Amino acid sequence: MTDSSGGSYDASALQRLERMGGNKLLLELIEMFLEHVPKKLDDARNALDQSDLPLVADTMHSLKSSAGMIGATGFYRLTERAELKAREGDQVELSRLLPEMFAEFDQTKQILERERQERIESS
Amino acid sequence: MARILVVEDSELQAKVICAQLEAAGMQVLCVSDGIKALEAIDEDRFDAVVTDMIMPRVNGLQLVESLSQKRHSPPVILMTAFGNDEIAAKALAKGAASYVPKAQIEHDLVDTINNTVALQRAGDEQSRALERLIVEQALFVLENDPALIPPVISYIQSRLNERFGDADENLMVQTSIALQEALLNAIHHGNLEVSSELREQGSEIYHQQIEERREQSPYKDRRVTLKSEVSPEGYAFTITDEGPGFDPSSVPDPRDPANLERVSGRGLYLIFTFMDEVEHNDSGNEIRMIKKVAEPGDNEAEEE
């Protein structure tokens, strides 16, 4: 599914999370994702600048898990590719992917902020 | 209430899993990598560990390998994802108890944990009972049938393995050999009164006399009793036959390695070599064999 803002997204993921832990947990997870991802992306950028590709790979792996959990499918695909490229040692491709990941996150963020607002208003 | 340690470097994933397990009535501690997991396990008791495979510092496979070195460690359940197959297979071979694909966590994780913990507790219950078992005794009464010896030894081995499973494997083999030799001596030389020197004349004559006497009175009515006692410190076997006995002082030194070159005397040599204490009663129709078992690590302590 692609939201009108452009981010690729799986709405059923939020529904699954709500089933598992209720609205409260879902809102906490959205909050965590929105805070967590920019910091991790900055960590990955710094690691790439220092050519610490194992750290880039570990960071991407962690982001991939979070993206999969929250339903951010476009962001998930990018982190999956970035983890693979980091393990292969492809710094060039990583340098190309990182800005794309920041852009994809911005679009995902809009979707999640809207979802969060709707849930706050309906609860 | 089950205590579960979750090892997951993704904060979001960890939060979801912990929430799911707490909702299922479990007590949960979440840590973000394998090193913190090992520290937590050293400090506290957990019924199970649920771990991601790919993590910084110590990954899921390395965690399983580290835990397999410990004498008592909780069972490990792996959370696997596409692309983890090889490392997960290695972890299962190294001792992980089970796995749940990450795509199935919502449906399968709680049940998998409950099943694993239930099986672990069943084993722990028996261990708790065994720790409080001071002495376990068994008494066998055997006819003069050597075919009875292997199943009797198998039963005794199973009890010894239950108690001393961590001990040297060779110990069990040597104990079985000593027991077998003692039982054969009691049947052949004790009850059936077939001289060990007859063996020097040939195996065929020796076994022929054994078979004849198994059918003849008074030999056929005699029995061998085997009493075994197993305690935390080791075990003892007392084997008694109903034959006339012999003068133990008349037997050449059973510990003399020269026995290895003789057909007769071999059995006693092995018994005296493999057991820590061996003695006959005065009438020579009873032998008592004792083996003391060291705890794993005792030898290392002695060497230091």
Side-chain angles (χ1 to χ4, degrees):
Chain A
M1 161 181 157
T2 304
D3 183 82
S4 57
S5 62
S8 295
Y9 187 73
D10 175 11
S12 68
L14 291 187
Q15 293 163 7
R16 184 176 65 245
L17 291 172
E18 194 169 17
R19 271 200 312 273
M20 288 170 79
N23 200 45
K24 180 171 177 287
L25 174 68
L26 178 55
L27 291 173
E28 286 175 9
L29 289 171
I30 292 175
E31 196 62 43
M32 278 179 75
F33 185 81
L34 294 177
E35 281 182 25
H36 169 85
V37 170
K39 289 180 193 167
K40 286 284 188 184
L41 284 175
D42 282 339
D43 289 344
R45 183 164 47 195
N46 292 336
L48 185 57
D49 288 344
Q50 290 167 37
S51 299
D52 187 348
L53 296 194
L55 181 54
V56 174
D58 287 341
T59 307
M60 289 300 145
H61 180 79
S62 177
L63 282 171
K64 183 181 74 175
S65 292
S66 301
M69 180 121 288
I70 210 87
T73 50
F75 192 68
Y76 179 93
R77 280 194 294 273
L78 288 171
T79 53
E80 184 181 48
R81 183 164 176 77
E83 181 189 357
L84 177 65
K85 291 301 157 189
R87 297 203 193 279
E88 288 176 354
D90 191 344
Q91 281 191 241
V92 171
E93 178 66 5
L94 283 169
S95 299
R96 191 193 68 74
L97 279 169
L98 257 181
E100 209 175 317
M101 291 172 66
F102 275 96
E104 178 69 26
F105 172 70
D106 282 339
Q107 291 172 351
T108 304
K109 181 179 168 188
Q110 288 179 45
I111 299 170
L112 288 175
E113 283 174 340
R114 195 164 51 245
E115 292 277 354
R116 179 177 58 183
Q117 194 56 34
E118 282 174 12
R119 278 169 169 76
I120 290 172
E121 286 169 1
S122 66
S123 63
Chain B
M1 182 188 288
R3 280 179 56 78
I4 309 299
L5 176 66
V6 174
V7 193
E8 169 61 67
D9 62 317
S10 160
E11 290 174 34
L12 257 80
Q13 190 105 40
K15 190 165 183 72
V16 171
I17 294 169
C18 288
Q20 184 186 8
L21 299 188
E22 282 168 354
M26 300 178 192
Q27 206 174 358
V28 188
L29 174 66
C30 279
V31 296
S32 58
D33 65 46
I35 290 185
K36 289 178 185 160
L38 291 168
E39 289 168 358
I41 290 164
D42 279 341
E43 286 171 17
D44 211 341
R45 196 190 67 80
F46 295 94
D47 293 300
V49 176
V50 178
T51 183
D52 190 12
M53 293 308 300
I54 307 294
M55 293 180 292
R57 301 208 290 169
V58 172
N59 65 28
L61 171 59
Q62 291 164 327
L63 177 60
V64 169
E65 284 173 334
S66 295
L67 291 178
S68 70
Q69 306 296 320
K70 293 178 180 288
R71 190 172 176 164
H72 297 291
S73 62
V76 179
I77 297 165
L78 313 172
M79 293 186 290
T80 59
F82 179 74
N84 290 163
D85 312 25
E86 210 175 298
I87 191 173
K90 284 181 186 170
L92 287 165
K94 289 283 181 187
S98 189
Y99 73 95
V100 177
K102 278 194 172 178
Q104 300 299 320
I105 279 178
E106 182 191 359
H107 301 294
D108 293 347
L109 183 59
V110 170
D111 283 346
T112 301
I113 292 173
N114 283 335
N115 288 341
T116 303
V117 169
L119 287 169
Q120 176 81 357
R121 281 182 175 167
D124 285 348
E125 288 294 315
Q126 193 168 17
S127 297
R128 289 183 64 212
L130 269 178
E131 283 164 12
R132 288 153 179 82
L133 180 60
I134 305 302
V135 173
E136 189 176 349
Q137 295 180 328
L139 177 66
F140 295 91
V141 178
L142 309 175
E143 303 94 273
N144 298 318
D145 182 1
L148 289 172
I149 295 176
V152 167
I153 290 179
S154 177
Y155 173 85
I156 291 176
Q157 253 184 347
S158 70
R159 304 315 304 149
L160 296 183
N161 279 330
E162 191 77 54
R163 174 76 76 161
F164 305 114
D166 293 339
D168 183 1
E169 277 179 22
N170 287 335
L171 175 67
M172 293 297 126
V173 174
Q174 290 178 345
T175 296
S176 297
I177 289 174
L179 195 47
Q180 180 183 54
E181 293 295 334
L183 287 168
L184 283 173
N185 283 349
I187 291 173
H188 291 166
H189 310 315
N191 283 353
L192 301 180
E193 296 183 59
V194 176
S195 169
S196 58
E197 283 160 7
L198 191 61
R199 290 186 81 166
E200 311 274 352
Q201 297 177 29
S203 165
E204 203 174 313
I205 293 176
Y206 178 75
H207 284 105
Q208 188 179 346
Q209 187 164 83
I210 286 172
E211 289 310 308
E212 285 169 0
R213 291 202 174 174
R214 285 183 64 203
E215 305 299 323
Q216 295 170 352
S217 293
Y219 315 106
K220 67 177 182 175
D221 303 311
R222 293 172 179 165
R223 296 290 180 261
V224 171
T225 59
L226 160 63
K227 189 163 110 177
S228 78
E229 298 158 54
V230 183
S231 71
E233 292 76 38
Y235 40 90
F237 306 121
T238 305
I239 296 163
T240 310
D241 64 69
E242 294 180 327
F246 67 98
D247 177 6
S249 63
S250 68
V251 174
D253 182 6
R255 295 183 183 82
D256 184 354
N259 285 309
L260 289 168
E261 296 174 26
R262 296 207 290 268
V263 175
S264 62
R266 179 180 164 277
L268 275 181
Y269 180 81
L270 291 173
I271 290 168
F272 275 83
T273 302
F274 293 158
M275 303 300 281
D276 293 323
E277 294 173 28
V278 182
E279 59 179 2
H280 287 96
N281 65 354
D282 291 338
S283 45
N285 66 340
E286 182 173 283
I287 184 170
R288 183 167 168 79
M289 315 185 291
I290 297 174
K291 185 72 183 176
K292 294 168 189 160
V293 179
E295 288 283 330
D298 279 359
N299 289 335
E300 291 167 10
E302 283 172 12
E303 284 167 12
E304 286 169 9

